[in-house]
């Protein structure tokens, strides 16, 4: 099963904005071909952000709670703090040739994660590693910059929702 991490903005696209770019991700999750990984830190950020004003409206507390509950039903939590401790197999290919649904083959112990320019985004990098994700799906510029200007390969790919949709179609 393909494991993915969604950053907070992509969760908002899924839960609030019905963005067409996340439809292929929804379908993959509903079909059981993909699963979303979320931890306490990323859930807490989503909970905080749901309290913001959107389109000059505040989401009612009851709706915020319902959206969080929906998110909890969709996502799963990693079983442990580290990939090996959790017994998770990384979703990477051992060859130099990667399909659109494989991440870069780099053992985590030999390749620590880069530091994100935005410290608030580091938790998504860490979760993708700990959760054995193949993809970190984001619209965040600081995270996408890491994908484009990486000093070393990551054990997963950082992509936009549209890029993941293209990869899912290419499968």
């Amino acid at each position: 099963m393909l494991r993915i991490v969604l950053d907070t903005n992509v969760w908002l696209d899924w839960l609030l904005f019905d963005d067409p770019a996340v439809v292929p991700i929804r379908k993959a999750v509903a079909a059981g071909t993909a699963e979303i990984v979320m931890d306490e830190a990323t859930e807490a950020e989503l909970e905080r952000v749901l309290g913001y004003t959107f389109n000059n409206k505040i989401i009612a507390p009851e709706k915020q709670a319902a959206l969080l509950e929906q998110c909890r039903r969709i996502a799963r939590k990693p079983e442990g703090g580290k990939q090996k401790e959790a017994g998770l197999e990384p979703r990477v290919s051992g060859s130099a040739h990667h399909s659109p649904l494989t991440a870069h083959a780099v053992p985590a112990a030999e390749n620590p994660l880069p530091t994100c320019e935005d410290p608030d985004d580091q938790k998504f990098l860490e979760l993708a590693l700990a959760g054995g994700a193949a993809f970190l799906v984001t619209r965040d510029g600081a995270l996408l910059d890491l994908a484009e200007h990486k000093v070393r390969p990551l054990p997963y790919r950082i992509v936009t929702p549209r890029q993941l949709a293209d990869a899912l179609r290419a499968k």
Side-chain angles (χ1 to χ4, degrees):
M1 177 166 319
L2 182 69
R3 289 187 184 132
I4 58 178
V5 170
L6 305 181
D7 81 354
T8 303
N9 286 323
V10 178
W11 271 115
L12 292 175
D13 290 342
W14 178 308
L15 297 168
L16 282 179
F17 304 124
D18 290 323
D19 187 322
V22 301
V23 169
I25 302 169
R26 283 178 185 245
K27 287 181 178 178
V29 170
T33 59
E35 67 181 352
I36 300 171
V37 181
M38 183 177 226
D39 64 7
E40 291 79 17
T42 57
E43 183 180 319
E45 179 173 298
L46 178 60
E47 183 174 11
R48 179 177 49 81
V49 171
L50 285 171
Y52 291 179
T53 301
F54 296 97
N55 298 324
N56 295 321
K57 296 178 185 173
I58 295 174
I59 301 170
E62 307 79 36
K63 178 150 185 175
Q64 289 178 38
L67 291 170
L68 276 173
E69 185 53 39
Q70 179 184 355
C71 176
R72 290 178 187 126
R73 282 192 311 269
I74 295 166
R76 73 161 196 80
K77 302 223 183 204
E79 289 85 23
K82 298 212 184 278
Q83 206 169 339
K84 278 191 171 185
E85 292 170 2
L88 299 173
E89 291 296 319
R91 303 295 186 198
V92 296
S93 166
S95 75
H97 305 287
H98 303 288
S99 82
L101 294 180
T102 59
H104 304 285
V106 179
E110 298 171 20
N111 187 29
L113 293 173
T115 301
C116 187
E117 175 182 299
D118 182 349
D120 286 338
D121 291 332
Q122 193 69 30
K123 65 181 147 286
F124 296 104
L125 295 170
E126 293 167 1
L127 173 59
L129 178 64
F135 293 95
L136 167 53
V137 187
T138 184
R139 294 183 191 280
D140 185 273
L143 289 169
L144 292 169
D145 281 348
L146 288 176
E148 288 190 25
H149 306 291
K150 58 189 170 228
V151 176
R152 60 190 165 276
L154 292 169
Y156 49 82
R157 292 179 54 199
I158 301 173
V159 297
T160 65
R162 216 168 286 293
Q163 289 170 320
L164 180 57
D166 291 345
L168 290 168
R169 277 193 293 279
K171 182 180 177 188

